[in-house]
Amino acid sequence: MAILQTKNLSKVYNPDTVPVHALRDVSITIDKGEFTSIVGPSGSGKTTLLNMLGGLDKPTSGSVWVNGEEITSMKESKLIDFRLHNIGFVFQHYNLIPVFTAHENVSFIMLLQNRSKKEIRERADDLLEQVGLGDRKNARPVQMSGGQQQRVAVARALASEPKFILADEPTANLDSTSAMNLLDIMNKMNREQNVTFVFSTHDQRVIDRARRVITMVDGAIHKDEYRDVEETAEN
Amino acid sequence: MYLKLAWRNIWRNKRRTLITLSSILFAVVCALFIESIERGSHDLTVENMTRFHTGYLQVQDFRFEDEPSLDNSFYYDPEFFGSIEENVEGIEFTVPRIDGFMLAAGEELTRPAMVLGILPGREQRLNGLVDRLVEGRFFNEGESTAVVSQGLASRLNVAVGDTLVLLGQGRFGMSAAGKYYISGIVKLPLREMDNQTIYLSISEAQWLLSAEGYITSLLITPESAAQVNILAEALSQIFEGTEYRVLTWREMMPELIEALEFDKAGTRMFMAILYVVIGFGIFGTILTMTLERLREFGILLSVGMKRMKLAAVVFIETLLISILGVLSGFGLGLFLIIYFNINPITIGGDGAEYMLDMGFDPILPTAIAPDIFFYQGSVVFLITLVISLYPSFKILRLNIIEAAKK
Ligand SMILES: Nc1ncnc2c1ncn2[C@@H]1O[C@H](COP(=O)(O)OP(=O)(O)OP(=O)(O)O)[C@@H](O)[C@H]1O
Ligand SMILES: [Mg+2]
């Protein structure tokens, strides 16, 4: 089932002055349970595409559909709520609220969803266990390594039970061990819980772990390939 | 959890919060202190002026205001005024006076002087006059000695035990002349009065001025200063159709009111500047805070926090700092005001001369008035409130993508 779909998506920055065609006629379909990586040279439009998929930015033309709903024409207030319940985000760095502990960071998004206190607490505990941070629940972001922070970010993204998780270069600021560790966690959640991930990356070893690799060049889809990968290579 | 978020954010950058907090505190303390000193010194001036000079309310002959001469004095009918004092609600006591300008001569010098015929007991009750003696003793009612104000005594170069000659005109052009033994020197708080006043007992003055039974003014002391206008109203009604007229201290001293207003306007100017300076200081810290946190705001909006909610949380942060600042300002301000109320600041040197010339005492007591706290507290709070709107405003207009890039 198509969980995420773009139809002839185009984005032109500065149309009036120096037009930059960041996306050209991008049409992709992502199904539930996919583990997709978007790759391509710097400036090829990866971030722009992810922003469109997440409803953070509006396209110049074309549309984005999430679970059969068009989000490109949604009003911003509705879109914020839509994101809260449907889309998980992991950014490149400084993802977390600095004054909150790991546990509070994960809980906060569920609080925004108005879940019950008990459910929030238990689910946050559980998710932190799953990303291997059961013993770092009360640590603040500054007390954690970059890899640990990104794992908390993944736990937070999952907490809201989104349809899919978007991650823009989640490993860019991590050393290779932490990067692989994060990938393992994402991979495990994908396999065990059928969580859909769409992430962009430059890192070849991360690319190697993706089952679908969409290559972008100059704002357009250059290649879109499905591959077999040996699961959890390092573990 | 939102409160937790706000509270922790406040203490996230302690230095910045402390700077903001102390700016607010400083503003509140300054504003409170300045206004309470102003109020205090104004109150003191008004009090001195009313107690020694005009009284809060005065009964006069209706012609006296235009032509303050003995010819426009009035008969002090003990029965009539006694019954007024008894029967009119809100009168604490009354003080009759007769006054006239005369020439006072000492051994070798002559000066114009204001001769005030008084009842020492009543004056003492009104303004503690007897306690202001610096030398000698006060006369009793009916006694024929004079008490001279210190400034005048030194101008005439006379002292206790010397003889004073008074020369002038009594009622209806009768000539007036008398020789008095100086029994005391008194220090008056108002410089102008201190330089020209001679006290005689009221009957002695009446005799000297050929005005037996007459007085120029009857001072009325209300039970509380707040009752002045009501009491004036009531007395006006009683005096309707008579030649008596009642005046309030405001009506009697328009120049003083004007001077005080002028002084207040200056203070207000200064406060406005203070507010602007401090306002910008606070705005500066809030601005840096906002800019530093744009990325965090962007992320919170990305993951699905509503703009209004985030704006509210950030607003609460600054609100809490404001409340904290204003309250601690109240605390420190109250402490300072009480301290300087008990130990008033005394101005020395040229400043003191200047104050005296302006007709003010060279001491600056503070007034402990709740309305000052309310007013200044509200102003500072309002200013910080307006400033606090900035981050919220910014959040409501924030471009998520731009913010997340930071
Ligand atoms: N706000 C903007 N205004 C103008 N041009 C922009 C803006 N954002 C992106 N671009 C341009 O759009 C193109 C695509 O940018 P994008 O950030 O999507 O690339 P990317 O593939 O994510 O690159 P990188 O690998 O460096 O992150 C680039 O040429 C970029 O300069
Ligand atoms: Mg990018």
Side-chain angles (χ1 to χ4, degrees), chain A residues 76 83 93-94 99 104, chain B residues 8 295 299 301-302 307:
Chain A
E76 128 117 6
R83 284 202 295 268
H93 58 152
Y94 304 127
V99 296
E104 287 164 341
Chain B
R8 290 211 195 138
R295 185 187 159 80
I299 284 173
L301 295 175
S302 303
R307 281 178 195 263

Side-chain angles (χ1 to χ4, degrees), chain A residues 78-98:
Chain A
K78 190 170 175 216
L79 201 51
I80 286 189
D81 212 46
F82 187 85
R83 284 202 295 268
L84 175 61
H85 293 281
N86 296 281
I87 309 174
F89 290 91
V90 178
F91 300 94
Q92 189 173 330
H93 58 152
Y94 304 127
N95 258 298
L96 307 174
I97 305 172

